Amino acid sequence: MAEIRVDNLVKRFGAFMAVRDTSFTVENGDFFCLLGPSGCGKTTTLRMVAGLELPSSGSIQLDGEDVTFKRARERDIAMVFQLFALYPHMNVRKNISFPLVSMGVPRDETRRRVEEAARVLRIEHLLDKSISGLSGGDRQRVALGRAIVREPKAFMMDEPLGALDAEFRHLMCGELRALHDRLKATTVYVTHDQLEAMSMADKIAVMNDGVIEQLGSPQEIYDRPNSMFVGDFIGSPAMNFIHFDGAAIAGSTSVSIDAACVTLPELRESHAPGPLALGVRPEQIVIGDPGRQGSALPGEIFGTEYLGTTQIVTVATPRGKLKARLPAHLPVAAGDRVSLSFRPERLSLFDAATGKAIRSALHEASTTRRTHG
Amino acid sequence: MSGALSTAHSVVAPSGRVKLLAGTIVVLYALVAIVPLLWIGLTSIKTPPDSISYPPKVVPFLHFEPSIEGYCNLFNTRSRQTADYLASLPPANSACEEITRSRSMVVVGPSNYVPRFVNSLIIAFGSTLLSVGLGTCAAYAFSRFKVPLKDDLLFFILSTRMMPPIAVAIPIFLMYRELGLSDTRLGMILLYTSVNVSLAVWLLKGFIDEIPREYEEAAMIDGYTRLQAFRKVVLPQATTGIVATAIFCLIFAWNEYAFAVLLTSGTAQTAPPFIPIIIGEGGQDWPAVAAGTTLFLIPILVFTVLLRKHLLRGITFGAVRK
Ligand SMILES: Nc1ncnc2c1ncn2[C@@H]1O[C@H](COP(=O)(O)OP(=O)(O)OP(=O)(O)O)[C@@H](O)[C@H]1O
Ligand SMILES: [Mg+2]
C-alpha cells in the first residue's frame, strides 16, 4: 500500500484546461473521494494518477517515487471503471485472473488468489459464469475482484456505482467501505454523488471547474465549507444562503441582517462593507411564533415535504426562500406565519462577491471529531 | 419476460400480416436469386447435346439422363481419334474414359482447371488475409491514436474506391509488366489487397470504434503492453467485424474477372477467366463450363456457411451490441 502525492497537476486539452493546479496527498490506507459536479475534471485527475493520461505539468508520486511519466502498467495501480470494462469474451474466473496472467503468477497460485478474492466478494458461485449473464451488482463485484486480486499499491475507482440503481448503490457503498476497512488499501474514489462520498470517505476533495475547492474530512466539509460552492454542493437539501449587505469585523460575534442581529461564531477576519451571504444548514433553522423576541427573520411557510422522521419545510422570507429541516411532528402548514432564528454554532459567513468563506472561530475547531456519518 | 409480453398487444413486434408479407418477399427474392444457380447446376449434369436442346430439358431423369460428362471434360483434355485406333485400345478403365470414347475421343491428360482453381484459392485467401491484417492494424490506429490529418487520410483511403478499378487497368498493366508482376500470384495478391484494404479499413474502423477504450485501458493498467492488450482484448471482440470484412474481401477477390483476364494468362491465371473459355467440339462446352462454375461456388459457400453466425451479427454493424 502506498501514499499518493499529487503536486500542481495541470491538464490541458488544447486550449481547454480540464484540471488546473491541483495538489493533494492521499495518505497510506485512506479512502479518498474526489467529489464534484459533472465535467469538473475528476476523471481526468484520476486517469493521470493511474497513468492513462499524461499531465500537461505537475508531478505525481506514488510511495515516494515519481511516477509522473511512467506507463500505467509500471505503476502497480488497479482501477475500477464506471462501466466495469469486464471482458465479454472471458468468463468471470478469466476476468479476475487476467491481471495475474500478465504478472506471470503460477497457475495454482493464480487459482488460489482468484478464489480468495471471490470469497471476499462472495461471488464464488459465479466464477465459471459468463459476464453477459451477470446482474449489475455482480458485475460490480467481479470488477472489484479483478482489482483486489493483484494486491496493488492503490485502487482507483471512477464512479463504480454509477451504473447501479439507487437501492443497490446504497448496499454497495456499505460493502465497498467494509472491503476497504478490511484491505486497508489506499483508494481514490471518484463520484459526483455527495451522499456516497460522505458515507464512505476518510477525506473528500471537492472539485469544481478543474480546481480543488476544499479538502477535508466529510464533517469538515459539511460543517465548515470554504466556499459557497462547497456549501451548496454538499448536503441535501443544500445550504441556504441569505444574501445581505454589511460588514464583517474581526472579533465580533454577530452580523445584522435587516433589523435582526444574527449571532455566529466569532469572526477572525474583517471584511469591508459589501455583499455578504450567511450560510445556514437546513437543520440550523429554528421556527417559532411570529414576532418572537430575538428572532432573525419573519417568514411564511411555503410548503412542506414529509420524510418520516423529519420534514423539509420551505419558508418564504424577505431574503428569499429557505429550506429548514424540522422534526416531523411539528405542526406546520402552508400559509402559516412564523419567525426564524438560527442555531449560532456552525453558521458560516461568505463574501458573496468571491464566494469565499470569511474565517471565524468555526474554522479553528478541532478537526478530528467525527460525529455524524 | 417475452412470454408475458407476447400475450399482450405489442407495439414493437411485427404483426402477422407484416410477417407474411416480409416472408413472401424474401421467398420470392430467394427464388429469383437461386434459379440461375440451379440452372448452372442442372447444366453441369447434362450431356453437351442436352445442354443446348430446345425446348430446354429441365427435370433430370424425366427429361434427360444425368451425366458426368461435363465434369469429365472439365478435368480432362481430350483428343479426337480414328475409329481404328479406338478399337485397338484396351477396355476403358474409368467412367470418364468410357464417355470420352463414346464421343470418338481419348483422354490425353488433366486439364488446367485444378491449377487455376488452386491459383484462385491462393490469390483470394492470400489477399483477404493481407487486406484484413493491414485493415485491422490501420483501423485500430485510426480509431485510437491521434493521427495527423486523420480525416483527410481516411477520405483518401475511401476515395480509391470511388472510381472503377478497371479505369486504371492500363497503367497497372504497364506497371506490372515493368515490375515483372504480370501473371504472378504475388502480383494478383497485391492488386486485390490494394482494392480491398480501403473497404477493410473503413468497415473495421467502425467495429473497433464500438469497442470501448476502457477495455484496453483496463488491460494496460493490469500490466499488459498496448500490443498485448490489442491482441488479448481488442481482437477477440472485433472477431465479428473481422469475419464480416474477410467475407466481403474474399468474395471480391474470388470473383474478380476483369483484372484476372488482363493480367494473368498462364501460371497465375485464376478460375474466373479460365472457366468460360473451356472449348469443346464445335464451340463452347456448356456442361463443362457449368461444372467449373458449380465447383467454383463451393469454397465461398463453405466459408460463408461456416462463419455465418459472425456474419449475421457483423452485418448489423454492431447495432445490437451486448
Ligand atoms: N480527451 C479529451 N479531450 C478534450 N476534452 C476532454 C477530454 N477528456 C475530458 N475532456 C473535458 O475535460 C473536462 C473534464 O472531464 P472529466 O471527464 O475529467 O470530468 P468529470 O469530472 O469526470 O465529469 P463526469 O462526472 O461527467 O464524469 C470536461 O469538460 C471534458 O469535456
Ligand atoms: Mg468522469
Side-chain angles (χ1 to χ4, degrees):
Chain A
M1 290 305 131
E3 179 194 82
I4 301 169
R5 227 185 114 123
V6 168
D7 285 311
N8 307 101
L9 209 56
V10 173
K11 179 69 188 180
R12 283 188 207 90
F13 291 112
F16 176 74
M17 255 194 167
V19 175
R20 11 179 137 213
D21 205 19
T22 292
S23 304
F24 58 86
T25 302
V26 185
E27 271 154 42
N28 191 359
D30 256 9
F31 196 114
F32 184 90
C33 264
L34 275 173
L35 174 66
S38 193
C40 70
K42 311 178 294 284
T43 298
T44 308
T45 308
L46 193 77
R47 287 169 59 86
M48 285 191 283
V49 176
L52 294 174
E53 204 93 63
L54 277 183
S56 305
S57 69
S59 77
I60 300 162
Q61 285 177 33
L62 191 62
D63 227 1
E65 181 196 1
D66 189 338
V67 296
T68 317
F69 296 107
K70 276 204 168 174
R71 288 170 198 281
R73 66 168 190 276
E74 295 162 343
R75 294 190 188 192
D76 195 15
I77 281 177
M79 182 147 168
V80 178
F81 291 83
Q82 177 164 7
L83 296 172
F84 313 143
L86 297 173
Y87 312 119
H89 59 288
M90 302 180 191
N91 67 11
V92 172
R93 183 187 298 276
K94 289 243 177 69
N95 262 285
I96 298 182
S97 63
F98 195 68
L100 297 180
V101 174
S102 80
M103 291 159 66
V105 176
R107 271 264 186 85
D108 21 315
E109 197 192 329
T110 301
R111 200 179 170 79
R112 191 183 56 68
R113 280 167 70 172
V114 169
E115 264 152 31
E116 164 70 14
R119 201 175 51 69
V120 170
L121 295 161
R122 286 175 279 116
I123 50 169
E124 290 149 296
H125 59 292
L126 298 177
L127 278 178
D128 295 307
K129 291 234 168 88
S130 93
I131 295 296
S132 55
L134 298 186
S135 68
D138 286 337
R139 283 177 196 220
Q140 166 70 66
R141 293 199 182 89
V142 175
L144 280 174
R146 191 170 70 186
I148 66 174
V149 75
R150 246 176 60 195
E151 294 161 22
K153 283 189 183 150
F155 292 109
M156 306 286 123
M157 301 190 188
D158 190 359
E159 311 209 17
L161 306 184
L164 305 181
D165 54 47
E167 200 176 328
F168 203 79
R169 201 184 292 189
H170 188 70
L171 184 74
M172 279 313 290
C173 267
E175 268 185 42
L176 265 180
R177 180 68 215 195
L179 185 69
H180 177 262
D181 289 343
R182 178 173 170 154
L183 300 174
K184 305 262 183 297
T186 311
T187 304
V188 182
Y189 184 102
V190 161
T191 180
H192 64 261
D193 181 339
Q194 45 122 355
L195 285 178
E196 244 172 56
M198 299 291 272
S199 66
M200 280 192 280
D202 295 315
K203 281 266 174 57
I204 297 179
V206 183
M207 272 190 99
N208 182 30
D209 229 353
V211 286
I212 291 186
E213 291 256 335
Q214 187 168 3
L215 199 162
S217 69
Q219 196 185 7
E220 277 169 345
I221 303 246
Y222 187 81
D223 286 345
R224 276 168 258 148
N226 269 349
S227 66
M228 289 171 74
F229 171 80
V230 175
D232 187 46
F233 191 73
I234 306 284
S236 166
M239 183 176 251
N240 298 296
F241 294 106
I242 300 168
H243 290 268
F244 65 100
D245 280 317
I249 299 133
S252 89
T253 56
S254 66
V255 290
S256 43
I257 303 175
D258 298 338
C261 171
V262 176
T263 314
L264 38 68
E266 188 178 327
L267 296 175
R268 294 284 189 260
E269 205 180 343
S270 298
H271 191 273
L276 296 176
L278 181 71
V280 187
R281 291 280 176 202
E283 58 274 18
Q284 292 161 352
I285 296 181
V286 180
I287 283 188
D289 297 328
R292 191 167 50 114
Q293 276 304 303
S295 73
L297 285 173
E300 185 183 319
I301 307 285
F302 184 77
T304 67
E305 215 181 304
Y306 182 73
L307 296 178
T309 50
T310 59
Q311 57 183 336
I312 306 299
V313 177
T314 309
V315 190
T317 73
R319 294 274 164 189
K321 289 199 181 100
L322 304 182
K323 289 199 174 204
R325 186 188 291 276
L326 301 174
H329 56 78
L330 209 73
V332 285
D336 288 358
R337 305 200 63 81
V338 292
S339 74
L340 303 180
S341 55
F342 309 121
R343 296 201 176 89
E345 310 84 43
R346 304 222 184 99
L347 295 181
S348 316
L349 193 62
F350 299 94
D351 173 348
T354 63
K356 293 275 167 265
I358 294 170
R359 298 193 61 75
S360 69
L362 186 65
H363 296 98
E364 288 155 11
S366 145
T367 58
T368 50
R369 212 169 21 141
R370 185 175 171 154
T371 50
H372 87 111
Chain B
M1 172 163 124
S2 64
L5 277 179
S6 60
T7 53
H9 175 77
S10 167
V11 287
V12 269
S15 72
R17 216 169 339 138
V18 170
K19 272 189 195 159
L20 191 72
L21 187 70
T24 315
I25 291 174
V26 167
V27 168
L28 280 179
Y29 177 74
L31 280 179
V32 169
I34 215 155
V35 162
L37 292 177
L38 211 62
W39 193 250
I40 289 171
L42 281 175
T43 305
S44 78
I45 54 170
K46 291 177 184 172
T47 60
D50 281 345
S51 73
I52 50 171
S53 73
Y54 191 84
K57 300 183 170 179
V58 181
V59 186
F61 298 107
L62 183 69
H63 294 149
F64 68 92
E65 210 41 50
S67 149
I68 58 163
E69 187 170 354
Y71 291 89
C72 291
N73 296 351
L74 175 68
F75 285 108
N76 296 315
T77 53
R78 301 156 302 163
S79 89
R80 179 159 291 279
Q81 300 294 337
T82 59
D84 294 349
Y85 176 73
L86 285 173
S88 71
L89 290 174
N93 56 5
S94 72
C96 274
E97 185 76 48
E98 214 169 298
I99 293 170
T100 311
R101 287 193 196 168
S102 72
R103 305 258 179 235
S104 309
M105 289 191 275
V106 290
V107 171
V108 293
S111 75
N112 274 334
Y113 185 67
V114 173
R116 300 302 185 251
F117 198 90
V118 169
N119 280 343
S120 265
L121 283 176
I122 292 174
I123 290 169
F125 280 92
S127 78
T128 300
L129 211 68
L130 206 57
S131 312
V132 173
L134 288 174
T136 310
C137 294
Y140 180 76
F142 277 123
S143 169
R144 295 297 197 255
F145 300 130
K146 268 199 198 119
V147 179
L149 300 178
K150 182 189 282 188
D151 293 341
D152 304 273
L153 276 175
L154 276 169
F155 179 76
F156 169 71
I157 289 174
L158 186 67
S159 71
T160 60
R161 303 270 308 186
M162 288 180 183
M163 68 186 163
I166 205 68
V168 288
I170 307 282
I172 287 181
F173 179 77
L174 296 174
M175 197 166 78
Y176 267 44
R177 211 177 49 188
E178 288 302 310
L179 294 173
L181 287 170
S182 288
D183 206 14
T184 60
R185 290 173 185 159
L186 179 65
M188 295 314 285
I189 289 177
L190 290 180
L191 182 69
Y192 292 162
T193 302
S194 70
V195 175
N196 273 336
V197 90
S198 62
L199 174 80
V201 170
W202 272 82
L203 280 182
L204 285 164
K205 179 170 179 297
F207 283 106
I208 292 176
D209 281 344
E210 291 272 313
I211 302 172
R213 278 160 191 261
E214 278 85 29
Y215 286 135
E216 292 138 83
E217 288 175 348
M220 280 170 5
I221 283 181
D222 285 342
Y224 292 90
T225 62
R226 184 174 279 278
L227 200 64
Q228 285 169 327
F230 174 69
R231 230 183 48 230
K232 296 192 177 201
V233 178
V234 179
L235 278 190
Q237 295 200 61
T239 325
T240 300
I242 291 175
V243 167
T245 309
I247 290 178
F248 285 129
C249 290
L250 185 72
I251 289 174
F252 170 80
W254 187 251
N255 291 337
E256 205 285 327
Y257 179 77
F259 277 111
V261 168
L262 188 73
L263 296 175
T264 67
S265 50
T267 52
Q269 193 182 41
T270 53
F274 174 78
I275 293 169
I277 56 164
I278 302 170
I279 305 289
E281 285 279 293
Q284 218 85 30
D285 186 345
W286 291 116
V289 170
T293 310
T294 309
L295 294 182
F296 186 67
L297 293 176
I298 289 173
I300 215 130
L301 201 68
V302 171
F303 190 71
T304 313
V305 167
L306 281 181
L307 300 173
R308 71 183 181 285
K309 192 183 78 194
H310 292 290
L311 185 64
L312 270 182
R313 281 197 22 228
I315 287 179
T316 57
F317 294 112
V320 275
R321 269 193 78 79
K322 185 64 230 176

